[in-house]
Amino acid sequence: MSRLENFISRMTAQRDILDYVCPEVAKMEGLVLELGLGNGRTFHHLRERLPGRRIVVFDREVGAHASSIPEAENLVLGEIRETGRKFIGIEAALVHADIGTGYDDRDAVTATWLPDLIASLLRVGGFAVSGTPLDHPLLQRLAAPTSEPADRYFLCKRL
Ligand code: SAM
């Protein structure tokens, strides 16, 4: 599979999983946290799928398309490992983390802190959607609702 095909497959799984969880999230109280604004495509998607819901977005810097930049009060700049700590206990309904790099060694470092952080940000029953696996005793992996291969994008529920 070429990198282009792999990317399309990953984005298809990402879209399918977000579309699956958004109606569930709409029934719950709690913030939505977007870890990794990037171009802002998934932020834009979440804003469309969850109208009126507060979405707080994290990144090192703003590099998004002008149509997809959060309001200043919903934008948190800096290293997520640090900035995310201030939100511990916030009881978010959804955390979406798209901060994988495609480099195993770098993603292994992220895996040492991201699952713990996400578990501490979510309410019980809340959802984590992630581009990298989230191994944590309080994050139950669910079968991804997509026809793409299981390792493309990950869905967990907070126990
Ligand atoms: N989901 C986005 C979209 O649809 O456009 C793409 C996100 S992009 C793949 C990942 C983003 O996460 C980049 O903008 C990068 O700066 C940010 N990022 C990755 N790791 C980070 C970290 N540890 N702290 C802050 N930002 C981080």
Side-chain angles (χ1 to χ4, degrees), residues 47-99:
R47 219 171 37 178
E48 282 203 352
R49 293 293 187 272
L50 293 165
R53 180 62 67 100
R54 186 171 177 210
I55 304 173
V56 179
V57 185
F58 297 71
D59 207 306
R60 297 188 174 103
E61 59 192 0
V62 175
H65 186 270
S67 65
S68 309
I69 297 176
E71 312 81 358
E73 65 272 21
N74 291 329
L75 181 61
V76 182
L77 295 181
E79 283 299 311
I80 292 165
R81 188 177 185 173
E82 306 304 326
T83 57
R85 282 199 196 130
K86 294 179 200 128
F87 290 77
I88 286 175
I90 199 83
E91 305 227 318
L94 169 65
V95 177
H96 172 226
D98 185 10
I99 61 171

Side-chain angles (χ1 to χ4, degrees):
M1 184 182 271
S2 73
R3 285 187 59 221
L4 175 62
E5 290 167 322
N6 185 276
F7 177 74
I8 291 168
S9 173
R10 218 168 63 73
M11 294 301 95
T12 301
Q14 180 189 62
R15 192 268 325 273
D16 290 349
I17 296 171
L18 291 176
D19 282 352
Y20 171 81
V21 295
C22 281
E24 300 302 314
V25 169
K27 297 179 209 157
M28 283 178 211
E29 299 279 316
L31 287 180
V32 169
L33 304 183
E34 170 83 331
L35 307 186
L37 172 65
N39 187 276
R41 293 188 184 98
T42 48
F43 168 60
H44 189 271
H45 195 74
L46 288 169
R47 219 171 37 178
E48 282 203 352
R49 293 293 187 272
L50 293 165
R53 180 62 67 100
R54 186 171 177 210
I55 304 173
V56 179
V57 185
F58 297 71
D59 207 306
R60 297 188 174 103
E61 59 192 0
V62 175
H65 186 270
S67 65
S68 309
I69 297 176
E71 312 81 358
E73 65 272 21
N74 291 329
L75 181 61
V76 182
L77 295 181
E79 283 299 311
I80 292 165
R81 188 177 185 173
E82 306 304 326
T83 57
R85 282 199 196 130
K86 294 179 200 128
F87 290 77
I88 286 175
I90 199 83
E91 305 227 318
L94 169 65
V95 177
H96 172 226
D98 185 10
I99 61 171
T101 63
Y103 292 98
D104 289 346
D105 54 341
R106 294 183 203 171
D107 292 346
V109 174
T110 302
T112 62
W113 57 268
L114 185 64
D116 246 349
L117 178 64
I118 290 179
S120 68
L121 294 171
L122 281 171
R123 58 177 290 161
V124 170
F127 291 98
V129 177
S130 174
T132 51
L134 298 172
D135 294 324
H136 192 282
L138 293 178
L139 297 174
Q140 178 188 24
R141 185 166 172 193
L142 304 180
T146 178
S147 54
E148 298 302 319
D151 63 346
R152 291 292 185 272
Y153 225 75
F154 300 88
L155 171 62
C156 296
K157 191 166 193 151
R158 170 72 159 82
L159 298 175

